[in-house]
């Protein structure tokens, strides 16, 4: 399953060819009707590229069959095609600020479907991997159809065959150059962040890779809010950069970093204090408990990544977008060296792979952070950021060192529920995060009504 998904993630950028990133980047230069033409052109690009990739796979079948199973390749192609269309629709919905439903659906449904398929295979309800892959593809086809219907009902997408006039406001050369850099960046990003799952089978074992993959899926829940907020902020970032509204952008940069730090540490605190107890309740606890240390490391990496704010979006939508390729190249080299050092030299196993990824991603974010500060004078941190960070870390440590209750279920509720409610109360009470106070006041206390 993971193997086929990895192939799909490599095919996905080739089918998309930067069309979704270009949609966000160039829309601020266009009127609404021109956006419909740009979306139609992007949609045409995806279908054209999908046909080209399919024909390439079909005619190269004999050559590929020596290295890969053909049925897996075709499953991967179908998945990649769905992923490309989903990404394009999500970007169009992002422009119209209608992103909540697609983000929740796209992030949660696969995480529910994947373990369900494993359970079905484990209990022999389905008897082959291909049936499992078929169900996985059906799940993504359902997501695609659901988002498409949602977009139609919200009147956020339109179609036209007259797309040439869109290039009166932007040149084809400008569009293609940005698209090529976007697809190169996507491939580089996927390669770097999938590098550990490629190296672990070769340097450790396939079983270790399975354990690592389970930990990655479990820890990935931390990053779900970031995907939603990054998608929500992307059009605003693009618009502010095009308008040179850097004071507003700096304010949004700081607000988003505080919000993502708070949400990331909030979810991480629950995992840190509760995931081991939760696994103890499950029948397959022996395998799951092997993943705990890796979940902690990958989870911490996700929090750090979130706390840096939308630095990639700022670079991608600025005139310095080519710098991302430089940063990704540095990250690739560092990740390779770090993986070999932690796994082979220090013999740290899958924990070493997780540490290698953490160091590489921290360095990658610091490089982008300093570049943005030097070039644009923007910084995501302020004093309130430090207060939120200190308070949340203190509460996590306090609840970690509190004595355990005799009842395991009550202990889980006490520690996880306690650390959640304490963080929420303190950050709200001291008004360190304005969007949180506004949300609670308007939605819960109805103060704004």
């Amino acid at each position: 399953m993971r193997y086929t998904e990895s192939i799909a993630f490599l095919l996905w950028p080739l089918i998309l060819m930067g069309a979704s990133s270009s949609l966000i980047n160039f829309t601020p230069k266009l009127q609404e009707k021109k956006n419909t033409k740009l979306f139609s052109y992007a949609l045409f690009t995806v279908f054209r590229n999908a046909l080209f990739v399919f024909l390439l796979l079909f005619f190269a079948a004999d050559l590929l069959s020596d290295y890969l199973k053909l049925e897996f390749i075709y499953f991967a192609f179908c998945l990649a095609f769905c992923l490309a269309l989903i990404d394009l629709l999500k970007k169009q919905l992002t422009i119209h600020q209608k992103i909540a439903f697609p983000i929740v659906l796209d992030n949660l449904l696969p995480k529910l479907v994947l373990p369900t398929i494993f359970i079905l295979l484990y209990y022999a309800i389905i008897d082959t991997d291909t049936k499992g892959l078929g169900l996985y593809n059906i799940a993504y086809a359902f997501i695609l159809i659901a988002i498409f219907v949602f977009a139609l009902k919200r009147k956020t997408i339109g179609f036209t065959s007259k797309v040439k006039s869109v290039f009166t406001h932007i040149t084809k050369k400008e569009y293609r150059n940005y698209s090529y850099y976007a697809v190169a960046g996507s491939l580089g990003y996927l390669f770097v962040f999938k590098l550990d799952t490629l190296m672990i089978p070769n340097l450790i074992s396939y079983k270790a890779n399975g354990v690592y993959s389970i930990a990655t899926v479990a820890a990935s829940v931390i990053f779900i809010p970031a995907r939603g907020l990054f998608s929500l902020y992307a059009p605003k970032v693009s618009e502010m950069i095009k308008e040179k509204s850097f004071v507003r952008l700096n304010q949004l940069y700081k607000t988003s970093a505080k919000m993502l730090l708070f949400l990331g540490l909030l979810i991480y605190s629950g995992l840190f204090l509760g995931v081991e107890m939760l696994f103890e309740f499950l029948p397959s606890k022996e395998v799951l408990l092997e993943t705990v240390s890796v979940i902690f490391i990958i989870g911490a990496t996700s929090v750090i990544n979130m706390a840096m704010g939308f630095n990639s979006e700022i670079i991608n939508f600025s005139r310095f977008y080519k710098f991302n390729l430089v940063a990704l190249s540095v990250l690739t080299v560092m990740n390779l060296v770090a993986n070999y050092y932690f796994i082979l030299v220090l013999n740290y196993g899958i924990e070493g792979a997780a540490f290698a990824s953490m160091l590489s991603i921290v360095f990658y974010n610091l490089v982008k952070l300093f570049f943005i500060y030097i070039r644009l004078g923007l910084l995501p941190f302020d004093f309130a950021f430090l207060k939120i960070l200190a308070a949340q870390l203190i509460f996590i440590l306090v609840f970690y060192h509190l004595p355990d209750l005799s009842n395991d279920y009550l202990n889980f509720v006490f520690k996880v529920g306690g650390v959640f409610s304490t963080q929420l109360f303190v950050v709200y009470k001291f008004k360190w995060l304005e969007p949180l106070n506004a949300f609670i006041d308007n939605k819960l206390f109805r103060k704004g009504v």
Side-chain angles (χ1 to χ4, degrees):
M1 191 81 68
R2 282 287 173 187
Y3 176 75
T4 306
E5 191 180 57
S6 296
I7 298 172
F9 281 144
L10 290 174
L11 295 176
W12 168 21
L14 298 177
I15 293 172
L16 199 56
M17 271 314 238
S20 59
S21 297
S22 297
L23 191 65
I24 295 284
N25 185 59
F26 293 112
T27 289
K29 295 183 178 181
L30 306 172
Q31 298 173 349
E32 187 174 349
K33 290 183 179 178
K34 293 291 191 299
N35 170 259
T36 298
K37 293 179 180 180
L38 186 61
F39 174 76
S40 298
Y41 182 78
L43 193 63
F44 165 76
T45 302
V46 169
F47 277 96
R48 181 198 63 196
N49 294 341
L51 178 62
F52 175 77
V53 170
F54 177 79
L55 291 174
L56 189 65
L57 292 173
F58 181 78
F59 287 112
D62 291 338
L63 178 63
L64 293 171
S65 63
D66 294 334
Y67 308 97
L68 305 167
K69 290 186 177 182
L70 290 180
E71 63 268 28
F72 290 169
I73 294 174
Y74 292 129
F75 275 122
F77 169 79
C78 293
L79 182 58
F81 183 55
C82 287
L83 287 168
L85 289 173
I86 289 168
D87 193 53
L88 186 64
L89 287 170
K90 280 166 55 182
K91 291 295 191 296
Q92 181 69 5
L93 285 162
T94 298
I95 293 167
H96 293 274
Q97 302 292 294
K98 305 288 185 183
I99 197 61
F101 171 73
I103 287 291
V104 171
L105 184 66
D106 189 32
N107 279 288
L108 288 184
L109 188 61
K111 289 176 176 58
L112 296 174
V113 170
L114 197 59
T116 302
I117 292 171
F118 286 138
I119 291 168
L120 293 175
L121 285 167
Y122 182 80
Y123 288 105
I125 298 171
I126 55 175
D127 55 0
T128 61
D129 289 338
T130 52
K131 288 181 180 178
L133 289 169
L135 289 174
Y136 199 50
N137 273 269
I138 289 170
Y140 271 98
F142 172 78
I143 293 170
L144 173 60
I145 293 167
I147 294 176
F148 178 73
V149 172
F150 177 82
L152 281 177
K153 287 187 174 181
R154 296 298 183 279
K155 298 180 180 179
T156 56
I157 56 174
F159 309 97
T160 179
S161 58
K162 299 175 182 178
V163 296
K164 288 185 179 180
S165 61
V166 77
F167 293 110
T168 57
H169 291 76
I170 53 175
T171 65
K172 278 192 175 183
K173 182 180 179 182
E174 185 183 7
Y175 181 89
R176 285 172 181 166
N177 284 345
Y178 186 84
S179 297
Y180 292 150
Y181 274 98
V183 72
S186 296
L187 285 169
Y189 188 87
L190 285 170
F191 175 73
V192 167
F193 286 91
K194 292 288 180 181
L195 189 61
D196 42 12
T197 58
L198 295 173
M199 295 186 73
I200 290 171
N202 294 304
L203 299 180
I204 307 176
S205 68
Y206 282 97
K207 181 185 176 182
N209 195 43
V211 173
Y212 191 86
S213 296
I214 294 170
T216 303
V217 171
S220 67
V221 298
I222 295 173
F223 208 73
I224 290 175
R227 292 192 184 97
L229 286 174
F230 287 156
S231 297
L232 185 65
Y233 287 137
K236 294 180 181 179
V237 172
S238 179
E239 184 180 348
M240 288 177 187
I241 289 173
K242 300 298 183 293
E243 295 176 351
K244 301 187 186 301
S245 302
F246 293 114
V247 174
R248 288 170 56 214
L249 181 59
N250 198 34
Q251 186 179 0
L252 186 64
Y253 195 19
K254 287 176 167 58
T255 301
S256 70
K258 285 183 289 189
M259 177 62 81
L260 289 168
L261 169 72
F262 172 71
L263 293 173
L265 274 177
L266 187 70
I267 301 170
Y268 183 77
S269 66
L271 283 175
F272 185 74
L273 295 172
V275 72
E276 194 167 357
M277 287 187 282
L278 180 64
F279 287 167
E280 287 284 357
F281 302 148
L282 302 176
S284 54
K285 64 180 181 180
E286 290 80 9
V287 175
L288 294 173
L289 287 171
E290 292 181 47
T291 69
V292 170
S293 58
V294 180
I295 290 173
F296 291 162
I297 300 167
I298 296 175
T301 305
S302 295
V303 174
I304 294 167
N305 205 10
M306 291 167 70
M308 297 293 181
F310 45 68
N311 48 28
S312 290
E313 283 71 17
I314 291 174
I315 295 172
N316 283 338
F317 300 130
S318 72
R319 59 192 175 93
F320 306 112
Y321 62 86
K322 297 177 183 178
F323 176 77
N324 254 339
L325 289 182
V326 177
L328 280 169
S329 300
V330 173
L331 176 61
T332 303
V333 174
M334 186 173 180
N335 208 0
L336 277 168
V337 173
N339 267 286
Y340 273 105
Y341 180 73
F342 279 102
I343 295 173
L344 291 183
V345 178
L346 298 180
N347 198 28
Y348 281 178
I350 56 175
E351 287 83 3
F355 269 123
S357 293
M358 174 186 271
L359 288 176
S360 302
I361 290 169
V362 169
F363 181 76
Y364 173 62
N365 275 289
L366 288 174
V367 168
K368 291 189 293 181
L369 186 77
F370 285 119
F371 180 83
I372 290 169
Y373 181 70
I374 291 167
R375 289 291 187 177
L376 300 172
L378 307 176
L379 201 62
F381 311 129
D382 58 14
F383 190 52
F385 180 97
L386 297 177
K387 288 190 285 188
I388 292 169
L389 175 62
Q392 289 189 272
L393 289 178
I394 288 169
F395 292 137
I396 292 170
L397 289 174
V398 167
F399 275 90
Y400 177 75
H401 287 289
L402 284 176
D404 290 336
L405 301 180
S406 57
N407 185 287
D408 292 337
Y409 296 99
L410 288 177
N411 190 49
F412 178 83
V413 173
F414 166 66
K415 291 213 167 184
V416 175
V419 78
F420 275 177
S421 56
T422 306
Q423 289 174 84
L424 281 166
F425 175 77
V426 170
V427 174
Y428 171 78
K429 188 68 176 177
F430 288 99
K431 299 180 180 179
W432 290 336
L433 196 55
E434 187 180 333
L436 177 69
N437 282 73
F439 177 81
I440 291 175
D441 289 343
N442 293 332
K443 300 293 183 183
L444 297 183
F445 299 146
R446 302 289 183 182
K447 290 183 179 180
V449 179

